[in-house]
Amino acid sequence: MNKNTLNIRKDFPILKNRKLVYLDSSATSLKPKCVIDAIDGYNSQYSANVHRGIYKLSEKATDEYEKARPRLADFINASCEEIIFVRNTTEAINLVAYIWGEDNLQKGDNLVTSVMEHHSNFVPWQQLAKRKKAEFRVFDINDDGTLNLEDFKKKLNLKTKLVAVTHVSNVLGTINPIKDIVRQAHEKGALVLIDGAQAVPHIKVDVKDLECDFYAFSGHKMLGPTGVGVLWVRKEILNKMKPFLFGGSMIEKVTLKGAAFNHSPEKFEAGTPDISGAIGFGAAVDYLARVGMQDIEKYEDKLKKYAYQKLAKIQNITIYGPSDINKKCAVFAFNVKGIHPHDLASLLDEEGICVRAGHHCTMPLHTHLGLIASVRASFYIYNTREDVDKLVKAIKKAQKLLILNS
Ligand SMILES: Cc1ncc(COP(=O)(O)O)c(C=O)c1O
């Protein structure tokens, strides 16, 4: 593909007729009309509960809800029973920490994670280690924002039960060498959980090819609605895991003495699920597949190169993460000397540009970089070179206003 635009901005109602430069897709993405319509279709046409009714409306709701599962399974090359609907990446990781972790971690074992993790893939393991009197080991990053694999190797041993690592950093944009990490962890007998929140929206993910054991991601970061995400668990592990929440839909039989549970995925989906959320998530995945993940990767590759080239030329800017742009996604965390990140974000907002300022839920990483906060501009398929130009112009304007006037 040789185009500088994917020509899909018209599909996003929020972008119509307004001067919006949305550069906060790592926090949550915009939603295309087909996703909004799918959610609305459920609420306005067949808003019955799923798996329960013997009437047509409920059967339609069940069909549409269950259609989302194979779409998601296909999207990451998994099988349907391995796709568990959860609220988001955070809940997916907590489910593994509570269920797999409680049963498989013992005093003296260790868990290994990296300093670049989002709090969602850090705190659940830190807490689990405390509960189980296990060791919580954190490996370092290199100066260029890539994972320090030497340090990783040092942290691994035969007592390592799980390695939890992000596929793509939500701050540095670094794309991590997951297959290498999985291979090394498996050699020590440890399982591997991948936080895919920032990867699945942007790059083709194949869980079989990665050979990991758990993979978590959120619908709202990939054009879907908030409130729904996926936990993928390798079948052999899933079959040994106990249920997380108990209640309706997850049981096979209940007596006064006890209960027997359904198979996966129902076993892990107690209670009424986010029905419209899953339907919207299915529509989002269809949309991404229609645009084509390969074309999305190619488009974002060009856009990130353009953005990096333009941003790097701004005086007194520090961009965090790999300077080898091929090692990262289109996420740029930066600081501009003399301007507090929050002030910069507010000034950019005046120009209709939405960026994030703060620690982006990565306090250990920011501490490691010697920072309290940074500004983050994250790009997605609806962003253009024009958005980059507007961002650069607005940063320069802020510099003139705040630095020259001080
Ligand atoms: C890398 C990463 N992991 C996990 C999360 C948590 O996602 P959620 O808030 O959807 O649970 C995020 C959200 O920004 C993220 O960027």
Side-chain angles (χ1 to χ4, degrees), residues 26-27 88-90 118 120 166 168 170 195 197-198 218 220-221:
S26 288
N88 46 37
T89 306
T90 307
H118 187 282
S120 295
T166 192
V168 172
N170 64 315
D195 171 353
Q198 300 295 345
S218 299
H220 69 97
K221 294 184 197 288

Side-chain angles (χ1 to χ4, degrees), residues 392-404:
V392 170
K393 194 170 163 203
I395 295 173
K396 288 183 179 166
K397 188 171 167 189
Q399 278 181 314
K400 274 200 192 123
L401 185 77
L402 289 182
I403 300 179
L404 295 182

Side-chain angles (χ1 to χ4, degrees), residues 208-382:
K208 291 220 173 79
D209 182 54
L210 292 175
E211 296 187 344
C212 56
D213 303 290
F214 307 95
Y215 198 100
F217 56 105
S218 299
H220 69 97
K221 294 184 197 288
M222 46 190 288
L223 311 181
T226 53
V228 64
V230 162
L231 170 66
W232 171 83
V233 184
R234 178 182 299 290
K235 206 186 309 178
E236 306 83 71
I237 300 165
L238 195 57
N239 291 339
K240 291 185 206 140
M241 278 169 60
K242 290 181 188 143
F244 182 31
L245 301 172
F246 298 92
S249 301
M250 52 77 68
I251 50 86
E252 193 179 84
K253 188 178 174 187
V254 185
T255 66
L256 290 182
K257 293 213 169 95
F261 308 118
N262 258 328
H263 293 293
S264 180
E266 289 85 3
K267 179 176 164 187
F268 299 98
E269 293 179 1
T272 300
D274 183 350
I275 304 169
S276 66
I279 292 169
F281 199 178
V285 159
D286 276 355
Y287 181 86
L288 286 170
R290 270 201 308 277
V291 180
M293 285 312 288
Q294 265 191 349
D295 281 357
I296 289 173
E297 275 188 53
K298 277 190 206 157
Y299 178 67
E300 290 191 15
D301 188 59
K302 282 188 180 177
L303 190 61
K304 84 183 168 192
K305 284 178 178 149
Y306 182 76
Y308 186 67
Q309 190 202 341
K310 291 279 171 167
L311 284 168
K313 281 195 189 131
I314 296 174
Q315 275 191 356
N316 293 323
I317 194 170
T318 306
I319 302 172
Y320 307 104
S323 52
D324 177 353
I325 198 79
N326 295 314
K327 291 185 178 163
K328 66 178 276 157
C329 278
V331 179
F332 298 92
F334 58 90
N335 270 307
V336 175
K337 196 171 168 197
I339 312 182
H340 192 284
H342 289 160
D343 293 339
L344 184 54
S346 296
L347 286 172
L348 296 181
D349 187 38
E350 298 288 305
E351 306 288 322
I353 302 172
C354 309
V355 293
R356 178 96 171 244
H359 53 65
H360 321 304
C361 298
T362 58
M363 285 176 114
L365 174 63
H366 274 71
T367 306
H368 177 88
L369 296 171
L371 302 173
I372 296 189
S374 59
V375 180
R376 182 184 69 187
S378 51
F379 294 80
Y380 205 12
I381 53 174
Y382 32 70

